Amino acid sequence: MIEASDLTVERGGKTILRNYSLRLARGRTLAVLGANGVGKTTLINTLIGLIKPRSGLLSIGGQVGFVPQLFEVPFAYSALDIALMGRARHLGLFGAPGKRDYEIVRHYFHMLGIEHFEPQVFNSLSGGQRQLVMIAQALASECELLVLDEPCAALDYKNQDKVLGLLEHLRETHDMTIVFSTHMPQHAVEIASDVLLMTSGNSYVCGPTADALSAENLSALYDLPIARADFDGLSKHTYAPVFRHDGANFDG
Amino acid sequence: MPNSSTEAPSTGWVGRKLASVSVLPALIALLVAVVLYSITIGRYDLSVRDVAYILIDNLHPLVTPYWDPVQEVVVEQVRLPRIMAAVIVGFGLAVSGAALQGLFRNPLVDPGIIGVTSGAGFGGTLAILIGLQGYLLLGMAFLFGVGSVFLVKLLATVRGRTSMLTLVLAGVVISAFFSAAISIAKLLADPFQKLPAITYWLMGSIASSNYLDVLLVSAAVVPSAVAIYLLRFQINIMSLGEEKARALGTKVVLVQWIILLASALISAGVVATSGIIGWVGLVIPHVARALVGADHQRLLPVSGVMGAIYLLMVDNLARTVTTAEIPLGIITALIGVPVFAVILRRLHAKGGWSSD
């Protein structure tokens, strides 16, 4: 689905990514992790075609749907209005959504269990609810690759669980390929088949989650000790930071 | 449970059809009523019945003319063209205001704020100064209107991206520039003939409109409004922001240019026939949005008809309140500014507008 080789991406005359190569097969889920400012958003914007890479090859084998970070709109659109905008690609310059477009959007609202949001003002919904509407918008575009920029940022645990469960469901039953960025290694442990650890603009680790996602790699990634933690009585694990509390640095 | 305060007006395909069949026809009926009433008022008193017969007589004589030929002249030559001009000008200004607000995802924008009006105003002033009229004046106003859009876009675009805040600031700068240019033109104008003509024209008036003026403003407003309406769904998408629109597959640059050029043409047409009439394009779309929601498919026509009704009523005030004509631009500003202030406060209180 995604084939990138030797990607170099610039933004405002500054090289953000240098010689990035990655492959992702159809029906897999890639989690992108990295410190703030390392270029996760730049990479995502490149994948969805907003930024043209300066050099290198990028080929995406299907339509891309994009779910931005926590989203607000300046006008009081209803949730249905927002999701309908996902149909843009199928409508042409002078078109407007018709009966079929409403049916498609309704189908996804039903699938996500958010029918009752339809008439509500999008901005009045909570962060988690808005995230679901934006996912419905991306699905309504009938994409095969779903790209999400920090889909779980600003969501409470229950909503994170809901979004992660939804992504897994989409991959399993709709053969969707998914790329998402996150700050929590646990999200990758839970649902990602592959991870991309962006250490800096020109070094990264990319591979199947089982190999690439390790305490060692994560510690290097975040420049902070990260340890594996096993849940008592469950065959599950996560990675958590071992905070250093070296406040001594602050008073000079 | 959705409560009424969070519910957007009329959603659902069926609901939308209903809303578009109920609000718009009601407004159109109101517009027709206001038009008929407007023809009756003025220094020469007429009844609605007289007006109806006089007008219908042109299509098909229902009754033998019982009215004074003077009455016919008043209706058909004096009041009707002026009323038609008010309707078209109000319609055009409100549609372009709604489209620009959507395009720039900024509820505080109108053709005046992004510099088009003063650019067109300068074009028109220059035309009067060198003795041009009619379509030549329209052409000049359009040329400078479009020119100012170019300049504003150029100033506001850094590395291919247009920030909406800089766009508004650039509009302020360009407006200031053209206001200064207008002052220079006035300074150079012949103080006995051209200066009063320029001054009065700039204040905004449709008092002396004839059918040629109506034709001229229609030639600018109608095709532009059609182009804007055809892009209704694209404007929805543009109001999510340029990046999101691009990701959804919209031809962002093309849509921006069509809307900007259409708005410039509307402004030029309005300025050419009736001078600078501000605030209509800013205020009316807000009222319309409260009525039918933000979806431009319903918002654009409803804004247009409301703008027509509004400007017609303002013009009725302008010609009847005092024995002398009050320039339209003064009344729309007197009403528009406090309404704008209220909108600004409400937006602020709701946190409903975050700039980017």
Side-chain angles (χ1 to χ4, degrees):
Chain A
M1 177 59 82
I2 303 177
E3 281 222 42
S5 54
D6 283 325
L7 277 191
T8 296
V9 182
E10 285 183 352
R11 219 158 189 197
K14 239 179 88 184
T15 305
I16 309 288
L17 306 175
R18 194 186 297 272
N19 298 332
Y20 263 64
S21 297
L22 59 104
R23 283 179 63 106
L24 190 69
R26 191 172 289 268
R28 293 183 76 88
T29 300
L30 176 74
V32 180
L33 291 104
N36 293 114
V38 76
K40 292 193 297 293
T41 303
T42 302
L43 178 74
I44 280 178
N45 285 342
T46 311
L47 288 180
I48 62 176
L50 283 185
I51 309 177
K52 294 260 169 294
R54 160 130 197 146
S55 64
L57 287 173
L58 173 66
S59 93
I60 308 271
Q63 203 61 257
V64 188
F66 174 54
V67 179
Q69 249 187 74
L70 209 57
F71 200 64
E72 267 205 9
V73 284
F75 303 113
Y77 288 111
S78 69
L80 186 70
D81 284 328
I82 295 288
L84 275 169
M85 295 181 200
R87 301 292 302 158
R89 227 183 281 277
H90 304 275
L91 288 172
L93 192 61
F94 297 133
K99 207 166 180 170
R100 204 181 104 74
D101 302 297
Y102 278 85
E103 274 164 14
I104 290 170
V105 169
R106 289 240 161 80
H107 166 75
Y108 288 113
F109 269 45
H110 178 73
M111 189 185 112
L112 304 185
I114 54 172
E115 298 99 327
H116 53 291
F117 294 170
E118 248 186 40
Q120 297 192 42
V121 172
F122 181 76
N123 283 348
S124 73
L125 299 173
S126 75
Q129 294 172 331
R130 265 182 275 163
Q131 201 65 267
L132 292 177
V133 175
M134 293 310 288
I135 291 174
Q137 184 194 61
L139 293 176
S141 75
E142 295 177 298
C143 59
E144 295 156 88
L145 170 65
L146 188 60
V147 179
L148 306 99
D149 193 4
E150 299 196 23
C152 293
L155 298 192
D156 58 31
Y157 286 138
K158 195 179 166 193
N159 278 307
Q160 290 186 18
D161 185 47
K162 200 166 176 183
V163 169
L164 291 177
L166 172 65
L167 294 181
E168 197 166 34
H169 171 80
L170 288 173
R171 187 180 61 78
E172 277 170 2
T173 58
H174 297 257
D175 202 29
M176 196 77 88
T177 313
I178 294 166
V179 174
F180 71 98
S181 60
T182 180
H183 278 296
M184 282 179 68
Q186 196 179 349
H187 295 154
V189 174
E190 296 286 340
I191 65 162
S193 60
D194 299 82
V195 291
L196 171 64
L197 308 179
M198 300 177 66
T199 320
S200 73
N202 47 31
S203 73
Y204 61 92
V205 180
C206 187
T209 309
D211 309 333
L213 198 69
S214 65
E216 193 188 352
N217 283 346
L218 286 169
S219 302
L221 182 71
Y222 289 115
D223 192 20
L224 182 82
I226 308 275
R228 180 182 160 124
D230 288 273
F231 291 95
D232 248 357
L234 293 171
S235 59
K236 274 192 160 203
H237 67 277
T238 186
Y239 293 93
V242 183
F243 290 116
R244 288 178 289 212
H245 299 276
D246 47 359
N249 286 349
F250 293 116
D251 282 332
Chain B
M1 223 8 238
N3 63 54
S4 58
S5 68
T6 61
E7 199 157 319
S10 57
T11 29
W13 202 70
V14 179
R16 274 156 200 243
K17 288 275 142 184
L18 262 176
S20 55
V21 288
S22 56
V23 175
L24 195 57
L27 282 170
I28 291 173
L30 180 62
L31 176 62
V32 172
V34 176
V35 165
L36 283 177
Y37 168 72
S38 303
I39 302 178
T40 64
I41 60 170
R43 265 193 261 166
Y44 200 106
D45 243 354
L46 290 159
S47 73
V48 177
R49 193 173 136 261
D50 298 339
V51 169
Y53 278 134
I54 292 173
L55 288 178
I56 291 169
D57 189 60
N58 287 313
L59 303 170
H60 181 79
L62 276 184
V63 291
T64 24
Y66 59 86
W67 50 82
D68 196 330
V70 178
Q71 289 179 324
E72 195 169 327
V73 170
V74 167
V75 169
E76 289 176 2
Q77 300 304 321
V78 181
R79 290 185 192 163
L80 195 57
R82 173 173 190 165
I83 284 162
M84 286 168 80
V87 166
I88 294 162
V89 165
F91 184 90
L93 286 174
V95 166
S96 78
L100 289 173
Q101 289 177 8
L103 182 67
F104 294 136
R105 57 193 322 235
N106 184 335
L108 303 181
V109 163
D110 82 342
I113 287 184
I114 62 160
V116 183
T117 310
S118 53
F122 174 69
T125 308
L126 205 61
I128 295 181
L129 196 65
I130 56 180
L132 300 176
Q133 287 172 352
Y135 285 90
L136 289 172
L137 195 150
L138 172 75
M140 283 284 265
F142 177 63
L143 219 62
F144 279 89
V146 171
S148 64
V149 172
F150 265 100
L151 282 176
V152 168
K153 274 283 276 175
L154 197 73
L155 271 180
T157 307
V158 184
R159 290 197 197 95
R161 291 188 187 272
T162 316
S163 143
M164 291 314 144
L165 186 62
T166 26
L167 191 107
V168 171
L169 290 176
V172 171
V173 170
I174 295 298
S175 288
F177 173 77
F178 279 115
S179 301
I182 289 174
S183 299
I184 294 174
K186 281 181 174 172
L187 211 60
L188 297 173
D190 156 26
F192 297 104
Q193 285 175 359
K194 283 178 178 164
L195 183 58
I198 291 172
T199 309
Y200 196 65
W201 169 77
L202 278 175
M203 280 192 282
S205 171
I206 50 173
S208 53
S209 296
N210 54 36
Y211 284 112
L212 279 177
D213 294 318
V214 173
L215 200 67
L216 185 127
V217 71
S218 306
V221 169
V222 174
S224 309
V226 169
I228 288 173
Y229 182 71
L230 284 174
L231 288 170
R232 60 204 180 280
F233 188 61
Q234 303 293 329
I235 301 174
N236 277 356
I237 296 169
M238 288 298 297
S239 70
L240 300 188
E242 223 173 298
E243 297 213 328
K244 185 68 186 145
R246 207 166 271 153
L248 283 171
T250 291
K251 294 180 180 67
V252 169
V253 178
L254 182 66
V255 173
Q256 277 181 342
W257 275 116
I258 298 178
I259 303 282
L260 286 177
L261 288 179
S263 299
L265 186 54
I266 289 177
S267 296
V270 169
V271 164
T273 46
S274 37
I276 292 178
I277 299 173
W279 302 99
V280 180
L282 204 149
V283 169
I284 295 298
H286 283 273
V287 186
R289 221 175 267 122
L291 216 58
V292 295
D295 178 14
H296 288 81
Q297 171 144 7
R298 284 163 294 152
L299 181 64
L300 290 169
V302 167
S303 288
V305 176
M306 289 181 80
I309 296 172
Y310 172 70
L311 201 70
L312 183 51
M313 298 207 299
V314 168
D315 187 51
N316 287 343
L317 281 180
R319 68 189 171 97
T320 54
V321 164
T322 61
T323 47
E325 284 275 343
I326 309 171
L328 270 185
I330 293 178
I331 304 181
T332 55
L334 283 178
I335 300 173
V337 171
V339 175
F340 177 81
V342 171
I343 293 169
L344 191 64
R345 298 290 303 181
R346 278 186 45 197
L347 273 177
H348 201 62
K350 279 194 303 188
W353 177 45
S354 47
S355 70
D356 48 326

